PDB file of all heavy atoms in Angstrom:
ATOM      1  N   GLU N1164     -24.547  -0.418  23.304  1.00  0.00           N
ATOM      2  CA  GLU N1164     -23.698  -0.084  22.149  1.00  0.00           C
ATOM      3  C   GLU N1164     -24.312  -0.734  20.819  1.00  0.00           C
ATOM      4  O   GLU N1164     -24.217  -0.119  19.814  1.00  0.00           O
ATOM      5  CB  GLU N1164     -22.229  -0.604  22.384  1.00  0.00           C
ATOM      6  CG  GLU N1164     -21.547   0.173  23.414  1.00  0.00           C
ATOM      7  CD  GLU N1164     -20.117  -0.425  23.687  1.00  0.00           C
ATOM      8  OE1 GLU N1164     -19.508  -0.867  22.766  1.00  0.00           O
ATOM      9  OE2 GLU N1164     -19.729  -0.397  24.858  1.00  0.00           O
ATOM     10  N   GLY N1165     -24.832  -1.978  20.986  1.00  0.00           N
ATOM     11  CA  GLY N1165     -25.433  -2.642  19.878  1.00  0.00           C
ATOM     12  C   GLY N1165     -26.531  -1.836  19.257  1.00  0.00           C
ATOM     13  O   GLY N1165     -26.714  -1.727  17.991  1.00  0.00           O
ATOM     14  N   ASP N1166     -27.411  -1.231  20.134  1.00  0.00           N
ATOM     15  CA  ASP N1166     -28.512  -0.466  19.584  1.00  0.00           C
ATOM     16  C   ASP N1166     -27.997   0.831  18.865  1.00  0.00           C
ATOM     17  O   ASP N1166     -28.552   1.214  17.812  1.00  0.00           O
ATOM     18  CB  ASP N1166     -29.401   0.065  20.778  1.00  0.00           C
ATOM     19  CG  ASP N1166     -30.271  -1.117  21.386  1.00  0.00           C
ATOM     20  OD1 ASP N1166     -30.278  -2.178  20.746  1.00  0.00           O
ATOM     21  OD2 ASP N1166     -30.878  -0.926  22.417  1.00  0.00           O
ATOM     22  N   VAL N1167     -26.951   1.389  19.416  1.00  0.00           N
ATOM     23  CA  VAL N1167     -26.394   2.605  18.736  1.00  0.00           C
ATOM     24  C   VAL N1167     -25.945   2.319  17.319  1.00  0.00           C
ATOM     25  O   VAL N1167     -26.269   3.042  16.382  1.00  0.00           O
ATOM     26  CB  VAL N1167     -25.264   3.239  19.598  1.00  0.00           C
ATOM     27  CG1 VAL N1167     -24.676   4.434  18.822  1.00  0.00           C
ATOM     28  CG2 VAL N1167     -25.698   3.677  20.955  1.00  0.00           C
ATOM     29  N   LEU N1168     -25.163   1.159  17.237  1.00  0.00           N
ATOM     30  CA  LEU N1168     -24.684   0.813  15.895  1.00  0.00           C
ATOM     31  C   LEU N1168     -25.826   0.409  14.942  1.00  0.00           C
ATOM     32  O   LEU N1168     -25.776   0.709  13.747  1.00  0.00           O
ATOM     33  CB  LEU N1168     -23.654  -0.385  16.115  1.00  0.00           C
ATOM     34  CG  LEU N1168     -22.388  -0.137  16.827  1.00  0.00           C
ATOM     35  CD1 LEU N1168     -21.561  -1.363  16.991  1.00  0.00           C
ATOM     36  CD2 LEU N1168     -21.569   0.976  16.158  1.00  0.00           C
ATOM     37  N   HIS N1169     -26.881  -0.203  15.513  1.00  0.00           N
ATOM     38  CA  HIS N1169     -28.042  -0.648  14.638  1.00  0.00           C
ATOM     39  C   HIS N1169     -28.687   0.619  14.052  1.00  0.00           C
ATOM     40  O   HIS N1169     -28.968   0.669  12.933  1.00  0.00           O
ATOM     41  CB  HIS N1169     -29.033  -1.448  15.461  1.00  0.00           C
ATOM     42  CG  HIS N1169     -30.357  -1.571  14.841  1.00  0.00           C
ATOM     43  ND1 HIS N1169     -30.578  -2.435  13.695  1.00  0.00           N
ATOM     44  CD2 HIS N1169     -31.534  -0.864  14.980  1.00  0.00           C
ATOM     45  CE1 HIS N1169     -31.824  -2.341  13.390  1.00  0.00           C
ATOM     46  NE2 HIS N1169     -32.418  -1.411  14.090  1.00  0.00           N
ATOM     47  N   TRP N1170     -28.993   1.609  14.986  1.00  0.00           N
ATOM     48  CA  TRP N1170     -29.696   2.857  14.475  1.00  0.00           C
ATOM     49  C   TRP N1170     -28.758   3.688  13.668  1.00  0.00           C
ATOM     50  O   TRP N1170     -29.273   4.401  12.770  1.00  0.00           O
ATOM     51  CB  TRP N1170     -30.252   3.627  15.692  1.00  0.00           C
ATOM     52  CG  TRP N1170     -31.489   2.891  16.217  1.00  0.00           C
ATOM     53  CD1 TRP N1170     -31.651   2.184  17.265  1.00  0.00           C
ATOM     54  CD2 TRP N1170     -32.853   2.945  15.587  1.00  0.00           C
ATOM     55  NE1 TRP N1170     -32.941   1.654  17.410  1.00  0.00           N
ATOM     56  CE2 TRP N1170     -33.658   2.176  16.315  1.00  0.00           C
ATOM     57  CE3 TRP N1170     -33.267   3.578  14.428  1.00  0.00           C
ATOM     58  CZ2 TRP N1170     -35.033   1.968  16.018  1.00  0.00           C
ATOM     59  CZ3 TRP N1170     -34.612   3.356  14.056  1.00  0.00           C
ATOM     60  CH2 TRP N1170     -35.513   2.589  14.879  1.00  0.00           C
ATOM     61  N   SER N1171     -27.491   3.630  13.870  1.00  0.00           N
ATOM     62  CA  SER N1171     -26.578   4.370  13.043  1.00  0.00           C
ATOM     63  C   SER N1171     -26.703   3.821  11.577  1.00  0.00           C
ATOM     64  O   SER N1171     -26.770   4.592  10.576  1.00  0.00           O
ATOM     65  CB  SER N1171     -25.173   4.175  13.546  1.00  0.00           C
ATOM     66  OG  SER N1171     -24.214   4.867  12.677  1.00  0.00           O
ATOM     67  N   ARG N1172     -26.715   2.479  11.383  1.00  0.00           N
ATOM     68  CA  ARG N1172     -26.876   1.907  10.065  1.00  0.00           C
ATOM     69  C   ARG N1172     -28.202   2.273   9.460  1.00  0.00           C
ATOM     70  O   ARG N1172     -28.355   2.638   8.310  1.00  0.00           O
ATOM     71  CB  ARG N1172     -26.681   0.414  10.151  1.00  0.00           C
ATOM     72  CG  ARG N1172     -25.254  -0.060  10.358  1.00  0.00           C
ATOM     73  CD  ARG N1172     -25.113  -1.516  10.054  1.00  0.00           C
ATOM     74  NE  ARG N1172     -24.964  -1.780   8.659  1.00  0.00           N
ATOM     75  CZ  ARG N1172     -25.521  -2.737   8.015  1.00  0.00           C
ATOM     76  NH1 ARG N1172     -26.347  -3.626   8.549  1.00  0.00           N
ATOM     77  NH2 ARG N1172     -25.300  -2.927   6.645  1.00  0.00           N
ATOM     78  N   HIS N1173     -29.267   2.038  10.274  1.00  0.00           N
ATOM     79  CA  HIS N1173     -30.637   2.335   9.787  1.00  0.00           C
ATOM     80  C   HIS N1173     -30.749   3.721   9.251  1.00  0.00           C
ATOM     81  O   HIS N1173     -31.273   4.037   8.174  1.00  0.00           O
ATOM     82  CB  HIS N1173     -31.690   2.035  10.923  1.00  0.00           C
ATOM     83  CG  HIS N1173     -33.031   2.505  10.671  1.00  0.00           C
ATOM     84  ND1 HIS N1173     -33.975   1.729  10.003  1.00  0.00           N
ATOM     85  CD2 HIS N1173     -33.661   3.744  10.834  1.00  0.00           C
ATOM     86  CE1 HIS N1173     -35.030   2.399   9.796  1.00  0.00           C
ATOM     87  NE2 HIS N1173     -34.966   3.578  10.370  1.00  0.00           N
ATOM     88  N   ASN N1174     -30.284   4.702  10.118  1.00  0.00           N
ATOM     89  CA  ASN N1174     -30.394   6.104   9.696  1.00  0.00           C
ATOM     90  C   ASN N1174     -29.575   6.438   8.525  1.00  0.00           C
ATOM     91  O   ASN N1174     -29.860   7.308   7.743  1.00  0.00           O
ATOM     92  CB  ASN N1174     -30.034   7.032  10.925  1.00  0.00           C
ATOM     93  CG  ASN N1174     -31.034   6.864  12.027  1.00  0.00           C
ATOM     94  OD1 ASN N1174     -32.164   6.329  11.810  1.00  0.00           O
ATOM     95  ND2 ASN N1174     -30.635   7.284  13.275  1.00  0.00           N
ATOM     96  N   SER N1175     -28.375   5.804   8.407  1.00  0.00           N
ATOM     97  CA  SER N1175     -27.424   6.104   7.284  1.00  0.00           C
ATOM     98  C   SER N1175     -28.188   5.775   5.962  1.00  0.00           C
ATOM     99  O   SER N1175     -28.107   6.520   4.963  1.00  0.00           O
ATOM    100  CB  SER N1175     -26.189   5.324   7.413  1.00  0.00           C
ATOM    101  OG  SER N1175     -25.447   5.829   8.482  1.00  0.00           O
ATOM    102  N   PHE N1176     -28.821   4.552   5.926  1.00  0.00           N
ATOM    103  CA  PHE N1176     -29.532   4.202   4.724  1.00  0.00           C
ATOM    104  C   PHE N1176     -30.694   5.132   4.444  1.00  0.00           C
ATOM    105  O   PHE N1176     -30.900   5.529   3.329  1.00  0.00           O
ATOM    106  CB  PHE N1176     -30.092   2.724   4.796  1.00  0.00           C
ATOM    107  CG  PHE N1176     -29.041   1.672   4.464  1.00  0.00           C
ATOM    108  CD1 PHE N1176     -28.383   1.017   5.536  1.00  0.00           C
ATOM    109  CD2 PHE N1176     -28.792   1.398   3.208  1.00  0.00           C
ATOM    110  CE1 PHE N1176     -27.392   0.100   5.267  1.00  0.00           C
ATOM    111  CE2 PHE N1176     -27.809   0.424   2.855  1.00  0.00           C
ATOM    112  CZ  PHE N1176     -27.129  -0.244   3.928  1.00  0.00           C
ATOM    113  N   LEU N1177     -31.392   5.547   5.518  1.00  0.00           N
ATOM    114  CA  LEU N1177     -32.526   6.443   5.351  1.00  0.00           C
ATOM    115  C   LEU N1177     -32.041   7.762   4.747  1.00  0.00           C
ATOM    116  O   LEU N1177     -32.622   8.368   3.800  1.00  0.00           O
ATOM    117  CB  LEU N1177     -33.174   6.703   6.751  1.00  0.00           C
ATOM    118  CG  LEU N1177     -34.420   7.522   6.778  1.00  0.00           C
ATOM    119  CD1 LEU N1177     -35.638   6.761   6.238  1.00  0.00           C
ATOM    120  CD2 LEU N1177     -34.784   7.962   8.180  1.00  0.00           C
ATOM    121  N   LEU N1178     -30.979   8.301   5.312  1.00  0.00           N
ATOM    122  CA  LEU N1178     -30.372   9.631   4.881  1.00  0.00           C
ATOM    123  C   LEU N1178     -29.919   9.550   3.447  1.00  0.00           C
ATOM    124  O   LEU N1178     -30.196  10.472   2.654  1.00  0.00           O
ATOM    125  CB  LEU N1178     -29.162   9.966   5.790  1.00  0.00           C
ATOM    126  CG  LEU N1178     -29.520  10.421   7.233  1.00  0.00           C
ATOM    127  CD1 LEU N1178     -28.211  10.438   8.040  1.00  0.00           C
ATOM    128  CD2 LEU N1178     -30.202  11.789   7.252  1.00  0.00           C
ATOM    129  N   TYR N1179     -29.347   8.399   3.077  1.00  0.00           N
ATOM    130  CA  TYR N1179     -28.834   8.297   1.712  1.00  0.00           C
ATOM    131  C   TYR N1179     -30.026   8.328   0.697  1.00  0.00           C
ATOM    132  O   TYR N1179     -30.011   8.955  -0.320  1.00  0.00           O
ATOM    133  CB  TYR N1179     -28.044   7.026   1.444  1.00  0.00           C
ATOM    134  CG  TYR N1179     -27.701   6.821  -0.009  1.00  0.00           C
ATOM    135  CD1 TYR N1179     -26.817   7.683  -0.614  1.00  0.00           C
ATOM    136  CD2 TYR N1179     -28.271   5.818  -0.724  1.00  0.00           C
ATOM    137  CE1 TYR N1179     -26.548   7.530  -1.980  1.00  0.00           C
ATOM    138  CE2 TYR N1179     -27.998   5.679  -2.068  1.00  0.00           C
ATOM    139  CZ  TYR N1179     -27.193   6.531  -2.689  1.00  0.00           C
ATOM    140  OH  TYR N1179     -26.855   6.450  -4.062  1.00  0.00           O
ATOM    141  N   GLN N1180     -31.130   7.546   1.024  1.00  0.00           N
ATOM    142  CA  GLN N1180     -32.230   7.473   0.165  1.00  0.00           C
ATOM    143  C   GLN N1180     -32.955   8.783  -0.135  1.00  0.00           C
ATOM    144  O   GLN N1180     -33.512   9.033  -1.131  1.00  0.00           O
ATOM    145  CB  GLN N1180     -33.317   6.465   0.726  1.00  0.00           C
ATOM    146  CG  GLN N1180     -32.894   5.032   0.623  1.00  0.00           C
ATOM    147  CD  GLN N1180     -33.657   4.050   1.620  1.00  0.00           C
ATOM    148  OE1 GLN N1180     -34.401   4.528   2.362  1.00  0.00           O
ATOM    149  NE2 GLN N1180     -33.429   2.756   1.426  1.00  0.00           N
TER     150      GLN N1180
END
Side-chain angles (χ1 to χ4, degrees):
E1164 294 175 35
D1166 287 351
V1167 177
L1168 295 176
H1169 166 77
W1170 282 102
S1171 180
R1172 287 194 81 222
H1173 170 88
N1174 293 343
S1175 293
F1176 278 98
L1177 185 75
L1178 289 167
Y1179 173 69
Q1180 286 162 352

